[in-house]
Amino acid sequence: MKKNLARMALGSALLASFSAPAAVAGGLEDALARGALRVCTVEAAPFVLRTPGDKLIGHEVDVAERLASDLGLSLDLRVVPGIAVLDRLNAGDCDLAVSALAIDPPRLLKVWMTNPYAESDIRIVASAKSPFRTDQLNAEDNVVGVVTGTLAADAARSRLPSATFREFPDLLAAQRALDDGAINALAFKEPVPTLTVAAAKPQRYAVGEGPSLARTADGMAVRKGDMNLLNFLNGWISARRRDGFLESTSAYWFTRIDWMERLKPPAALK
Amino acid sequence: MKKNLARMALGSALLASFSAPAAVAGGLEDALARGALRVCTVEAAPFVLRTPGDKLIGHEVDVAERLASDLGLSLDLRVVPGIAVLDRLNAGDCDLAVSALAIDPPRLLKVWMTNPYAESDIRIVASAKSPFRTDQLNAEDNVVGVVTGTLAADAARSRLPSATFREFPDLLAAQRALDDGAINALAFKEPVPTLTVAAAKPQRYAVGEGPSLARTADGMAVRKGDMNLLNFLNGWISARRRDGFLESTSAYWFTRIDWMERLKPPAALK
Amino acid sequence: MKKNLARMALGSALLASFSAPAAVAGGLEDALARGALRVCTVEAAPFVLRTPGDKLIGHEVDVAERLASDLGLSLDLRVVPGIAVLDRLNAGDCDLAVSALAIDPPRLLKVWMTNPYAESDIRIVASAKSPFRTDQLNAEDNVVGVVTGTLAADAARSRLPSATFREFPDLLAAQRALDDGAINALAFKEPVPTLTVAAAKPQRYAVGEGPSLARTADGMAVRKGDMNLLNFLNGWISARRRDGFLESTSAYWFTRIDWMERLKPPAALK
């Protein structure tokens, strides 16, 4: 039964993969012809987030900006729901997706993915006054929030089979449920769990100790068949890894919190 | 003369590469349509071996099982002779080959290979009561067994130019010759040499000390032109390397010997 | 304005990328059919240089020789001007380019590049009696020589925005200008700066201290669309990295200077 469901899902992925390459030209050629690089992305701190002035900032924004700049193009960043990002890419709404996508088999069936450009761990944050081990959450009365379609959702279910799960369409909704007490834990890619702890004053949360739920490698996505763009991106990742850009961008967004200052409302104009 | 022979061999590889993509569709699409992943592999401990109950186990089996499972497919493992594995792949008998294939130029002419998913060294095991250095075998009266078409065969001939060589069609035949005394040394990919020493009681063999004959990186093989499957596999390897699956699977099969228990005949039923 | 210029340049790259794959067949198939591998390269010590006997030696020569040998082919090395190497490749004058090409976005628009097979840093060498820091050269009266179209040229302009720059068509011309005093510094990929210091007796030059101008990863280039050759080369790089060939070749040419003996005129025949 589970296998049949998987096959149906794969079947539609398969049809999409046959029709997609015919529907749109190569993302690189399209972008160069129009003078702008269209990048689909998803709002989730600290990957993509909005300042009070409605400017998009974050790790993925810095990566996409540098990519467009290296191509001599302007950046046309298209924020879409997390669950729709690969479909929007395949429909031709953007040239590529840069949205902290963990490289995983379901995604690899729908699109081509680049070599990794970032690495992360999936951890769990919970309402807790004192340190706890992740495995202590493996009990029915623990309600763990996850975001639909993320690797964190699969990893948490597999590690905590006895816990109760609630799915949310995006990270913001899940974080609100945690703040309201509707769920008492949230599984997501770092640094979200660590930032959740840091942002709450007084101390309300803690990150589960022990091995992480999963270790992920993130890739960019292009449409199947778009080999010119794939080779460009893999070379770009080699170059920007080697020259230190990817490492320093990750360090800024994933290990520090001073970027939170950029989210404060500006002082009122006189 | 040597060059002409090489060119003839390459010529047929060339013809195969032109005709193969037209003969069969993409391995990924075929597998999804039929609900089973067909994987060509080769019997050689501890990569692929049979239990007394005729079940296939081993490093390559675990890798192929996980790959099929991640695709929501059943695994159809097809054991073929080592020398035929790439031809069988190109003839469409399987979707891909997972058989501890060292990435090397002759193979790269016949098929496309993935990024490395395992690493190994080639060493030599010999009938010896005491430790010896590999270079001590470089004398005419040493008869070294190798398996046709392996990188180990080339590496041993290049390192021990004065030794006498005997070729065998597969590892089992070569191991039998070593046990019978028909050859007094065997060159093969680790952990075969080390396991040969460990399996013989009382001590009959030793592994040559000093630098290994060669260091190899293993890749999976797909038919030329099968870019959808190649990108899937390279992404899968990134994901399973990052999450620790490939490392722990290699550690289990290549650095331990407790899996040998699985090869013992089961206790008789009443 | 700058963006329009970029777009024009990209436009012609784009046209080239559409027409190139149709113009010539795959480099691997061509090479196998003719029995020789045609490799475009560029003269620059210690990558490609001529002995007094007019033999080509150097890091790129050793890499290309091994590549041809692994294919069972002879090597047809074609020395071309640095600025023309990708155009010559796209015109079909060679099967691939092996010329210490840093993987960077402008090149990735014109060709497909392999995974890195070598790494280097870009540094600056200047007429100096005593040690100096690279940033001390950031003044208008410092005339820095660069070679047109190299990553070193971009990196030096970006790091030393106040310096005066002079462009040269190739490394030899730039080195002559440094020796003549027409420029007082030269930015290039290592080990050229370090070798320039070592070759001058008495001491005339020093390499700028502090962080390098840029860290580069070098790839080979193939024509867009030439997936068979690209997969072959990426596999070859995996194999030759793993077996130590690439590392020992880099160590010989980039960290030692005894190869300079090979450039001395031979003793006269009687």
PDB file of all heavy atoms in Angstrom, chain B residues 215-247:
ATOM      1  N   ARG B 215      45.313   2.763  -4.668  1.00  0.00           N
ATOM      2  CA  ARG B 215      44.197   3.257  -3.878  1.00  0.00           C
ATOM      3  C   ARG B 215      43.057   3.518  -4.856  1.00  0.00           C
ATOM      4  O   ARG B 215      43.246   4.192  -5.863  1.00  0.00           O
ATOM      5  CB  ARG B 215      44.568   4.570  -3.182  1.00  0.00           C
ATOM      6  CG  ARG B 215      45.676   4.411  -2.130  1.00  0.00           C
ATOM      7  CD  ARG B 215      46.426   5.714  -1.872  1.00  0.00           C
ATOM      8  NE  ARG B 215      45.549   6.837  -1.617  1.00  0.00           N
ATOM      9  CZ  ARG B 215      45.016   7.116  -0.428  1.00  0.00           C
ATOM     10  NH1 ARG B 215      45.289   6.378   0.607  1.00  0.00           N
ATOM     11  NH2 ARG B 215      44.215   8.151  -0.273  1.00  0.00           N
ATOM     12  N   THR B 216      41.872   2.990  -4.587  1.00  0.00           N
ATOM     13  CA  THR B 216      40.789   3.120  -5.559  1.00  0.00           C
ATOM     14  C   THR B 216      39.592   3.865  -4.971  1.00  0.00           C
ATOM     15  O   THR B 216      39.389   3.890  -3.761  1.00  0.00           O
ATOM     16  CB  THR B 216      40.294   1.739  -6.029  1.00  0.00           C
ATOM     17  OG1 THR B 216      39.503   1.154  -4.982  1.00  0.00           O
ATOM     18  CG2 THR B 216      41.448   0.813  -6.341  1.00  0.00           C
ATOM     19  N   ALA B 217      38.830   4.469  -5.855  1.00  0.00           N
ATOM     20  CA  ALA B 217      37.546   5.056  -5.502  1.00  0.00           C
ATOM     21  C   ALA B 217      36.507   4.298  -6.326  1.00  0.00           C
ATOM     22  O   ALA B 217      36.689   4.119  -7.532  1.00  0.00           O
ATOM     23  CB  ALA B 217      37.527   6.539  -5.841  1.00  0.00           C
ATOM     24  N   ASP B 218      35.452   3.824  -5.678  1.00  0.00           N
ATOM     25  CA  ASP B 218      34.438   3.048  -6.389  1.00  0.00           C
ATOM     26  C   ASP B 218      33.244   3.919  -6.762  1.00  0.00           C
ATOM     27  O   ASP B 218      32.786   4.739  -5.966  1.00  0.00           O
ATOM     28  CB  ASP B 218      33.931   1.903  -5.498  1.00  0.00           C
ATOM     29  CG  ASP B 218      35.032   0.890  -5.206  1.00  0.00           C
ATOM     30  OD1 ASP B 218      36.071   0.931  -5.879  1.00  0.00           O
ATOM     31  OD2 ASP B 218      34.829   0.061  -4.305  1.00  0.00           O
ATOM     32  N   GLY B 219      32.726   3.695  -7.961  1.00  0.00           N
ATOM     33  CA  GLY B 219      31.521   4.402  -8.404  1.00  0.00           C
ATOM     34  C   GLY B 219      30.496   3.410  -8.934  1.00  0.00           C
ATOM     35  O   GLY B 219      30.825   2.270  -9.258  1.00  0.00           O
ATOM     36  N   MET B 220      29.243   3.858  -8.999  1.00  0.00           N
ATOM     37  CA  MET B 220      28.218   3.068  -9.670  1.00  0.00           C
ATOM     38  C   MET B 220      28.288   3.399 -11.164  1.00  0.00           C
ATOM     39  O   MET B 220      28.778   4.456 -11.547  1.00  0.00           O
ATOM     40  CB  MET B 220      26.832   3.445  -9.134  1.00  0.00           C
ATOM     41  CG  MET B 220      26.737   3.313  -7.617  1.00  0.00           C
ATOM     42  SD  MET B 220      25.111   3.862  -7.026  1.00  0.00           S
ATOM     43  CE  MET B 220      25.398   3.786  -5.241  1.00  0.00           C
ATOM     44  N   ALA B 221      27.771   2.485 -11.996  1.00  0.00           N
ATOM     45  CA  ALA B 221      27.799   2.720 -13.441  1.00  0.00           C
ATOM     46  C   ALA B 221      26.382   2.809 -13.991  1.00  0.00           C
ATOM     47  O   ALA B 221      25.501   2.044 -13.590  1.00  0.00           O
ATOM     48  CB  ALA B 221      28.553   1.586 -14.136  1.00  0.00           C
ATOM     49  N   VAL B 222      26.193   3.760 -14.913  1.00  0.00           N
ATOM     50  CA  VAL B 222      24.933   3.847 -15.662  1.00  0.00           C
ATOM     51  C   VAL B 222      25.285   3.884 -17.146  1.00  0.00           C
ATOM     52  O   VAL B 222      26.430   4.122 -17.518  1.00  0.00           O
ATOM     53  CB  VAL B 222      24.114   5.106 -15.289  1.00  0.00           C
ATOM     54  CG1 VAL B 222      23.840   5.148 -13.782  1.00  0.00           C
ATOM     55  CG2 VAL B 222      24.817   6.386 -15.733  1.00  0.00           C
ATOM     56  N   ARG B 223      24.271   3.649 -17.983  1.00  0.00           N
ATOM     57  CA  ARG B 223      24.531   3.708 -19.419  1.00  0.00           C
ATOM     58  C   ARG B 223      24.841   5.146 -19.842  1.00  0.00           C
ATOM     59  O   ARG B 223      24.289   6.090 -19.278  1.00  0.00           O
ATOM     60  CB  ARG B 223      23.312   3.198 -20.197  1.00  0.00           C
ATOM     61  CG  ARG B 223      23.166   1.689 -20.172  1.00  0.00           C
ATOM     62  CD  ARG B 223      21.978   1.232 -21.015  1.00  0.00           C
ATOM     63  NE  ARG B 223      20.710   1.570 -20.403  1.00  0.00           N
ATOM     64  CZ  ARG B 223      20.078   0.810 -19.501  1.00  0.00           C
ATOM     65  NH1 ARG B 223      20.583  -0.349 -19.111  1.00  0.00           N
ATOM     66  NH2 ARG B 223      18.938   1.210 -18.978  1.00  0.00           N
ATOM     67  N   LYS B 224      25.704   5.312 -20.839  1.00  0.00           N
ATOM     68  CA  LYS B 224      25.959   6.644 -21.382  1.00  0.00           C
ATOM     69  C   LYS B 224      24.647   7.273 -21.829  1.00  0.00           C
ATOM     70  O   LYS B 224      23.825   6.597 -22.448  1.00  0.00           O
ATOM     71  CB  LYS B 224      26.925   6.559 -22.561  1.00  0.00           C
ATOM     72  CG  LYS B 224      28.330   6.175 -22.142  1.00  0.00           C
ATOM     73  CD  LYS B 224      29.297   6.313 -23.307  1.00  0.00           C
ATOM     74  CE  LYS B 224      30.713   5.991 -22.854  1.00  0.00           C
ATOM     75  NZ  LYS B 224      31.709   6.461 -23.830  1.00  0.00           N
ATOM     76  N   GLY B 225      24.468   8.526 -21.515  1.00  0.00           N
ATOM     77  CA  GLY B 225      23.258   9.231 -21.895  1.00  0.00           C
ATOM     78  C   GLY B 225      22.216   9.264 -20.797  1.00  0.00           C
ATOM     79  O   GLY B 225      21.269  10.048 -20.873  1.00  0.00           O
ATOM     80  N   ASP B 226      22.391   8.451 -19.757  1.00  0.00           N
ATOM     81  CA  ASP B 226      21.342   8.340 -18.741  1.00  0.00           C
ATOM     82  C   ASP B 226      21.553   9.380 -17.637  1.00  0.00           C
ATOM     83  O   ASP B 226      21.803   9.061 -16.480  1.00  0.00           O
ATOM     84  CB  ASP B 226      21.349   6.924 -18.156  1.00  0.00           C
ATOM     85  CG  ASP B 226      20.022   6.613 -17.478  1.00  0.00           C
ATOM     86  OD1 ASP B 226      19.197   7.542 -17.327  1.00  0.00           O
ATOM     87  OD2 ASP B 226      19.814   5.449 -17.098  1.00  0.00           O
ATOM     88  N   MET B 227      21.406  10.644 -18.038  1.00  0.00           N
ATOM     89  CA  MET B 227      21.726  11.754 -17.140  1.00  0.00           C
ATOM     90  C   MET B 227      20.751  11.841 -15.955  1.00  0.00           C
ATOM     91  O   MET B 227      21.148  12.233 -14.859  1.00  0.00           O
ATOM     92  CB  MET B 227      21.717  13.043 -17.963  1.00  0.00           C
ATOM     93  CG  MET B 227      22.168  14.259 -17.201  1.00  0.00           C
ATOM     94  SD  MET B 227      23.935  14.183 -16.703  1.00  0.00           S
ATOM     95  CE  MET B 227      23.883  15.356 -15.327  1.00  0.00           C
ATOM     96  N   ASN B 228      19.492  11.494 -16.156  1.00  0.00           N
ATOM     97  CA  ASN B 228      18.545  11.542 -15.034  1.00  0.00           C
ATOM     98  C   ASN B 228      18.989  10.612 -13.907  1.00  0.00           C
ATOM     99  O   ASN B 228      18.966  10.982 -12.744  1.00  0.00           O
ATOM    100  CB  ASN B 228      17.142  11.124 -15.489  1.00  0.00           C
ATOM    101  CG  ASN B 228      16.336  12.297 -15.999  1.00  0.00           C
ATOM    102  OD1 ASN B 228      16.752  13.445 -15.859  1.00  0.00           O
ATOM    103  ND2 ASN B 228      15.189  12.011 -16.600  1.00  0.00           N
ATOM    104  N   LEU B 229      19.380   9.400 -14.266  1.00  0.00           N
ATOM    105  CA  LEU B 229      19.817   8.455 -13.240  1.00  0.00           C
ATOM    106  C   LEU B 229      21.156   8.890 -12.637  1.00  0.00           C
ATOM    107  O   LEU B 229      21.353   8.799 -11.425  1.00  0.00           O
ATOM    108  CB  LEU B 229      19.916   7.044 -13.830  1.00  0.00           C
ATOM    109  CG  LEU B 229      20.288   5.927 -12.850  1.00  0.00           C
ATOM    110  CD1 LEU B 229      19.390   5.932 -11.617  1.00  0.00           C
ATOM    111  CD2 LEU B 229      20.211   4.562 -13.539  1.00  0.00           C
ATOM    112  N   LEU B 230      22.058   9.387 -13.498  1.00  0.00           N
ATOM    113  CA  LEU B 230      23.360   9.826 -12.975  1.00  0.00           C
ATOM    114  C   LEU B 230      23.187  10.931 -11.943  1.00  0.00           C
ATOM    115  O   LEU B 230      23.786  10.890 -10.869  1.00  0.00           O
ATOM    116  CB  LEU B 230      24.254  10.323 -14.120  1.00  0.00           C
ATOM    117  CG  LEU B 230      25.665  10.735 -13.691  1.00  0.00           C
ATOM    118  CD1 LEU B 230      26.505   9.521 -13.326  1.00  0.00           C
ATOM    119  CD2 LEU B 230      26.371  11.542 -14.781  1.00  0.00           C
ATOM    120  N   ASN B 231      22.331  11.923 -12.244  1.00  0.00           N
ATOM    121  CA  ASN B 231      22.150  13.010 -11.284  1.00  0.00           C
ATOM    122  C   ASN B 231      21.479  12.515 -10.012  1.00  0.00           C
ATOM    123  O   ASN B 231      21.837  12.925  -8.904  1.00  0.00           O
ATOM    124  CB  ASN B 231      21.357  14.167 -11.901  1.00  0.00           C
ATOM    125  CG  ASN B 231      21.344  15.395 -10.990  1.00  0.00           C
ATOM    126  OD1 ASN B 231      20.437  15.587 -10.191  1.00  0.00           O
ATOM    127  ND2 ASN B 231      22.384  16.209 -11.068  1.00  0.00           N
ATOM    128  N   PHE B 232      20.520  11.597 -10.159  1.00  0.00           N
ATOM    129  CA  PHE B 232      19.887  11.018  -8.968  1.00  0.00           C
ATOM    130  C   PHE B 232      20.941  10.344  -8.094  1.00  0.00           C
ATOM    131  O   PHE B 232      21.003  10.561  -6.881  1.00  0.00           O
ATOM    132  CB  PHE B 232      18.801  10.003  -9.367  1.00  0.00           C
ATOM    133  CG  PHE B 232      18.121   9.416  -8.166  1.00  0.00           C
ATOM    134  CD1 PHE B 232      16.977   9.995  -7.652  1.00  0.00           C
ATOM    135  CD2 PHE B 232      18.658   8.309  -7.513  1.00  0.00           C
ATOM    136  CE1 PHE B 232      16.380   9.479  -6.506  1.00  0.00           C
ATOM    137  CE2 PHE B 232      18.068   7.799  -6.371  1.00  0.00           C
ATOM    138  CZ  PHE B 232      16.916   8.383  -5.863  1.00  0.00           C
ATOM    139  N   LEU B 233      21.766   9.518  -8.701  1.00  0.00           N
ATOM    140  CA  LEU B 233      22.743   8.750  -7.926  1.00  0.00           C
ATOM    141  C   LEU B 233      23.792   9.652  -7.272  1.00  0.00           C
ATOM    142  O   LEU B 233      24.158   9.450  -6.115  1.00  0.00           O
ATOM    143  CB  LEU B 233      23.421   7.704  -8.814  1.00  0.00           C
ATOM    144  CG  LEU B 233      22.495   6.607  -9.347  1.00  0.00           C
ATOM    145  CD1 LEU B 233      23.230   5.737 -10.355  1.00  0.00           C
ATOM    146  CD2 LEU B 233      21.938   5.748  -8.203  1.00  0.00           C
ATOM    147  N   ASN B 234      24.258  10.666  -8.003  1.00  0.00           N
ATOM    148  CA  ASN B 234      25.245  11.558  -7.392  1.00  0.00           C
ATOM    149  C   ASN B 234      24.638  12.311  -6.206  1.00  0.00           C
ATOM    150  O   ASN B 234      25.301  12.511  -5.190  1.00  0.00           O
ATOM    151  CB  ASN B 234      25.810  12.538  -8.433  1.00  0.00           C
ATOM    152  CG  ASN B 234      26.906  11.899  -9.270  1.00  0.00           C
ATOM    153  OD1 ASN B 234      27.538  10.923  -8.861  1.00  0.00           O
ATOM    154  ND2 ASN B 234      27.116  12.438 -10.457  1.00  0.00           N
ATOM    155  N   GLY B 235      23.369  12.719  -6.331  1.00  0.00           N
ATOM    156  CA  GLY B 235      22.707  13.375  -5.197  1.00  0.00           C
ATOM    157  C   GLY B 235      22.499  12.403  -4.046  1.00  0.00           C
ATOM    158  O   GLY B 235      22.722  12.735  -2.885  1.00  0.00           O
ATOM    159  N   TRP B 236      22.093  11.173  -4.377  1.00  0.00           N
ATOM    160  CA  TRP B 236      21.892  10.149  -3.350  1.00  0.00           C
ATOM    161  C   TRP B 236      23.199   9.889  -2.596  1.00  0.00           C
ATOM    162  O   TRP B 236      23.213   9.764  -1.373  1.00  0.00           O
ATOM    163  CB  TRP B 236      21.378   8.867  -4.021  1.00  0.00           C
ATOM    164  CG  TRP B 236      21.014   7.773  -3.067  1.00  0.00           C
ATOM    165  CD1 TRP B 236      19.798   7.582  -2.472  1.00  0.00           C
ATOM    166  CD2 TRP B 236      21.870   6.717  -2.592  1.00  0.00           C
ATOM    167  NE1 TRP B 236      19.846   6.471  -1.661  1.00  0.00           N
ATOM    168  CE2 TRP B 236      21.097   5.928  -1.709  1.00  0.00           C
ATOM    169  CE3 TRP B 236      23.192   6.370  -2.826  1.00  0.00           C
ATOM    170  CZ2 TRP B 236      21.619   4.805  -1.063  1.00  0.00           C
ATOM    171  CZ3 TRP B 236      23.724   5.261  -2.172  1.00  0.00           C
ATOM    172  CH2 TRP B 236      22.933   4.487  -1.306  1.00  0.00           C
ATOM    173  N   ILE B 237      24.307   9.825  -3.322  1.00  0.00           N
ATOM    174  CA  ILE B 237      25.602   9.595  -2.682  1.00  0.00           C
ATOM    175  C   ILE B 237      25.962  10.756  -1.754  1.00  0.00           C
ATOM    176  O   ILE B 237      26.413  10.542  -0.627  1.00  0.00           O
ATOM    177  CB  ILE B 237      26.695   9.352  -3.754  1.00  0.00           C
ATOM    178  CG1 ILE B 237      26.463   8.002  -4.438  1.00  0.00           C
ATOM    179  CG2 ILE B 237      28.098   9.424  -3.155  1.00  0.00           C
ATOM    180  CD1 ILE B 237      27.264   7.779  -5.723  1.00  0.00           C
ATOM    181  N   SER B 238      25.723  11.990  -2.206  1.00  0.00           N
ATOM    182  CA  SER B 238      25.952  13.156  -1.326  1.00  0.00           C
ATOM    183  C   SER B 238      25.144  13.042  -0.051  1.00  0.00           C
ATOM    184  O   SER B 238      25.649  13.267   1.054  1.00  0.00           O
ATOM    185  CB  SER B 238      25.524  14.463  -2.017  1.00  0.00           C
ATOM    186  OG  SER B 238      26.465  14.886  -2.936  1.00  0.00           O
ATOM    187  N   ALA B 239      23.858  12.691  -0.199  1.00  0.00           N
ATOM    188  CA  ALA B 239      22.962  12.633   0.964  1.00  0.00           C
ATOM    189  C   ALA B 239      23.369  11.507   1.906  1.00  0.00           C
ATOM    190  O   ALA B 239      23.412  11.682   3.125  1.00  0.00           O
ATOM    191  CB  ALA B 239      21.511  12.469   0.502  1.00  0.00           C
ATOM    192  N   ARG B 240      23.688  10.343   1.367  1.00  0.00           N
ATOM    193  CA  ARG B 240      23.990   9.184   2.208  1.00  0.00           C
ATOM    194  C   ARG B 240      25.419   9.206   2.753  1.00  0.00           C
ATOM    195  O   ARG B 240      25.742   8.497   3.680  1.00  0.00           O
ATOM    196  CB  ARG B 240      23.719   7.891   1.432  1.00  0.00           C
ATOM    197  CG  ARG B 240      22.253   7.684   1.054  1.00  0.00           C
ATOM    198  CD  ARG B 240      21.355   7.484   2.275  1.00  0.00           C
ATOM    199  NE  ARG B 240      19.951   7.706   1.935  1.00  0.00           N
ATOM    200  CZ  ARG B 240      19.250   8.756   2.380  1.00  0.00           C
ATOM    201  NH1 ARG B 240      19.774   9.647   3.201  1.00  0.00           N
ATOM    202  NH2 ARG B 240      17.990   8.889   2.020  1.00  0.00           N
ATOM    203  N   ARG B 241      26.269   9.994   2.136  1.00  0.00           N
ATOM    204  CA  ARG B 241      27.595  10.233   2.712  1.00  0.00           C
ATOM    205  C   ARG B 241      27.439  11.176   3.904  1.00  0.00           C
ATOM    206  O   ARG B 241      27.957  10.929   4.985  1.00  0.00           O
ATOM    207  CB  ARG B 241      28.502  10.873   1.654  1.00  0.00           C
ATOM    208  CG  ARG B 241      29.979  10.693   1.901  1.00  0.00           C
ATOM    209  CD  ARG B 241      30.811  11.315   0.788  1.00  0.00           C
ATOM    210  NE  ARG B 241      31.185  10.374  -0.252  1.00  0.00           N
ATOM    211  CZ  ARG B 241      32.122   9.421  -0.104  1.00  0.00           C
ATOM    212  NH1 ARG B 241      32.747   9.275   1.044  1.00  0.00           N
ATOM    213  NH2 ARG B 241      32.410   8.627  -1.102  1.00  0.00           N
ATOM    214  N   ARG B 242      26.682  12.222   3.675  1.00  0.00           N
ATOM    215  CA  ARG B 242      26.512  13.245   4.706  1.00  0.00           C
ATOM    216  C   ARG B 242      25.781  12.698   5.934  1.00  0.00           C
ATOM    217  O   ARG B 242      26.082  13.084   7.062  1.00  0.00           O
ATOM    218  CB  ARG B 242      25.749  14.419   4.086  1.00  0.00           C
ATOM    219  CG  ARG B 242      25.310  15.484   5.038  1.00  0.00           C
ATOM    220  CD  ARG B 242      26.424  16.437   5.410  1.00  0.00           C
ATOM    221  NE  ARG B 242      25.944  17.338   6.440  1.00  0.00           N
ATOM    222  CZ  ARG B 242      26.639  17.754   7.474  1.00  0.00           C
ATOM    223  NH1 ARG B 242      27.895  17.424   7.607  1.00  0.00           N
ATOM    224  NH2 ARG B 242      26.118  18.538   8.372  1.00  0.00           N
ATOM    225  N   ASP B 243      24.808  11.810   5.743  1.00  0.00           N
ATOM    226  CA  ASP B 243      24.024  11.332   6.895  1.00  0.00           C
ATOM    227  C   ASP B 243      24.692  10.129   7.568  1.00  0.00           C
ATOM    228  O   ASP B 243      24.161   9.598   8.547  1.00  0.00           O
ATOM    229  CB  ASP B 243      22.574  11.047   6.513  1.00  0.00           C
ATOM    230  CG  ASP B 243      22.403   9.769   5.710  1.00  0.00           C
ATOM    231  OD1 ASP B 243      23.388   9.044   5.483  1.00  0.00           O
ATOM    232  OD2 ASP B 243      21.265   9.495   5.292  1.00  0.00           O
ATOM    233  N   GLY B 244      25.837   9.709   7.061  1.00  0.00           N
ATOM    234  CA  GLY B 244      26.595   8.661   7.740  1.00  0.00           C
ATOM    235  C   GLY B 244      26.304   7.249   7.264  1.00  0.00           C
ATOM    236  O   GLY B 244      27.005   6.309   7.662  1.00  0.00           O
ATOM    237  N   PHE B 245      25.293   7.065   6.387  1.00  0.00           N
ATOM    238  CA  PHE B 245      24.945   5.706   5.957  1.00  0.00           C
ATOM    239  C   PHE B 245      26.114   5.022   5.236  1.00  0.00           C
ATOM    240  O   PHE B 245      26.437   3.858   5.525  1.00  0.00           O
ATOM    241  CB  PHE B 245      23.697   5.726   5.053  1.00  0.00           C
ATOM    242  CG  PHE B 245      23.465   4.418   4.349  1.00  0.00           C
ATOM    243  CD1 PHE B 245      22.890   3.341   5.013  1.00  0.00           C
ATOM    244  CD2 PHE B 245      23.839   4.242   3.019  1.00  0.00           C
ATOM    245  CE1 PHE B 245      22.698   2.118   4.372  1.00  0.00           C
ATOM    246  CE2 PHE B 245      23.653   3.027   2.368  1.00  0.00           C
ATOM    247  CZ  PHE B 245      23.078   1.971   3.049  1.00  0.00           C
ATOM    248  N   LEU B 246      26.741   5.704   4.295  1.00  0.00           N
ATOM    249  CA  LEU B 246      27.807   5.054   3.530  1.00  0.00           C
ATOM    250  C   LEU B 246      28.996   4.715   4.430  1.00  0.00           C
ATOM    251  O   LEU B 246      29.589   3.637   4.318  1.00  0.00           O
ATOM    252  CB  LEU B 246      28.242   5.935   2.353  1.00  0.00           C
ATOM    253  CG  LEU B 246      27.216   6.026   1.218  1.00  0.00           C
ATOM    254  CD1 LEU B 246      27.647   7.066   0.177  1.00  0.00           C
ATOM    255  CD2 LEU B 246      27.005   4.668   0.546  1.00  0.00           C
ATOM    256  N   GLU B 247      29.311   5.615   5.359  1.00  0.00           N
ATOM    257  CA  GLU B 247      30.439   5.371   6.247  1.00  0.00           C
ATOM    258  C   GLU B 247      30.183   4.173   7.162  1.00  0.00           C
ATOM    259  O   GLU B 247      31.054   3.320   7.347  1.00  0.00           O
ATOM    260  CB  GLU B 247      30.707   6.626   7.074  1.00  0.00           C
ATOM    261  CG  GLU B 247      31.988   6.540   7.887  1.00  0.00           C
ATOM    262  CD  GLU B 247      32.163   7.763   8.773  1.00  0.00           C
ATOM    263  OE1 GLU B 247      31.394   8.732   8.628  1.00  0.00           O
ATOM    264  OE2 GLU B 247      33.069   7.736   9.626  1.00  0.00           O
TER     265      GLU B 247
END
